[in-house]
């Protein structure tokens, strides 16, 4: 097993991970875009820095991964790009408009990828989990929202009741 640490917002670091895979294994068969943050808050709070962070990680991180592997997969005439979306990419809920927007964007990007690269035998898949107990809630800066999401994640989908 080989690994490298990379910041998904840094396209050179993402490319270095892909280059390592090619160097060690001669090809890239699968990319899994799985980085994300969720600092949710109502739009009226105008949390510009949090919005930028979500856009950079949740959307540009996916695009940086795709850009790094796509030339290789096209040359191979095969590959599979997987991205974690979210139920939030299908349903918008209060206090999460920007987060949901980033997840809707992932859906659109992955659908566009599917349409553009199907003739190159490059598949695309989104995974849209609901409430899952992870550390994602720790990226929420609003204490009340953070506790609500933490509680929701501990209960799973059956605990969902929107505010």
């Amino acid at each position: 097993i080989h690994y490298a640490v990379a910041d998904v917002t840094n396209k050179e670091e993402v490319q270095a991970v892909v280059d390592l895979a090619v160097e060690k294994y001669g090809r890239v068969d699968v990319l899994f875009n799985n980085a994300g943050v969720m600092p949710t808050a109502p739009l009226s709070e105008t949390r510009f820095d949090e919005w930028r962070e979500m856009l950079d990680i949740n959307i540009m991180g996916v695009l940086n991964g795709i850009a790094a592997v796509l030339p290789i997969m096209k040359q191979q005439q095969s590959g599979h790009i997987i991205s974690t979306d979210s139920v939030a990419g299908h349903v918008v809920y209060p206090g999460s408009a920007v987060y949901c927007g980033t997840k809707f964007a992932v859906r659109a990007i992955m659908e566009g990828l599917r349409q553009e690269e199907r003739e190159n035998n490059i598949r695309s898949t989104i995974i849209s989990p609901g409430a899952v107990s992870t550390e994602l809630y720790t990226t929420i800066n609003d204490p009340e929202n953070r506790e609500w999401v933490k509680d929701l994640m501990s209960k799973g989908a059956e605990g969902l009741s929107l505010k």
Side-chain angles (χ1 to χ4, degrees):
I1 295 174
H2 295 85
Y3 74 93
V5 176
D7 175 348
V8 298
T9 67
N10 182 315
K11 64 184 178 183
E12 289 80 18
E13 289 184 19
V14 174
Q15 187 65 57
V17 172
V18 172
D19 292 346
L20 174 65
V22 172
E23 175 189 321
K24 296 294 182 185
Y25 303 105
R27 58 186 292 119
V28 176
D29 294 312
V30 178
L31 169 72
F32 185 9
N33 288 307
N34 191 44
V37 294
M38 187 177 71
T40 57
L43 288 167
S44 62
E45 293 184 13
T46 61
R47 295 184 180 202
F48 292 101
D49 292 339
E50 290 178 4
W51 296 347
R52 173 63 60 195
E53 178 186 38
M54 277 191 281
L55 294 171
D56 287 345
I57 294 172
N58 297 2
I59 298 173
M60 287 308 300
V62 168
L63 290 169
N64 289 339
I66 291 169
V69 299
L70 200 50
I72 296 160
M73 290 181 175
K74 286 179 81 159
Q75 183 179 14
Q76 295 170 174
Q77 285 292 291
S78 70
H80 192 167
I81 299 174
I82 304 166
S83 294
T84 300
D85 181 35
S86 169
V87 167
H90 302 264
V91 179
V92 179
Y93 50 96
S96 298
V98 178
Y99 177 71
C100 294
T102 67
K103 295 306 182 172
F104 270 75
V106 169
R107 279 182 57 206
I109 290 164
M110 294 299 287
E111 174 59 18
L113 176 67
R114 183 193 68 76
Q115 293 178 19
E116 292 175 13
E117 298 301 332
R118 69 175 180 241
E119 292 180 11
N120 290 312
N121 198 31
I122 298 169
R123 295 177 296 146
S124 69
T125 300
I126 60 169
I127 298 172
S128 300
V132 177
S133 183
T134 69
E135 76 285 349
L136 187 61
Y137 75 90
T138 65
T139 65
I140 300 171
N141 294 319
D142 177 81
E144 184 181 330
N145 253 356
R146 184 175 46 246
E147 285 307 309
W148 180 78
V149 171
K150 180 181 177 184
D151 185 54
L152 172 67
M153 289 179 165
S154 71
K155 292 177 183 174
E158 69 276 0
L160 183 61
S161 66
L162 299 177
K163 293 183 188 180

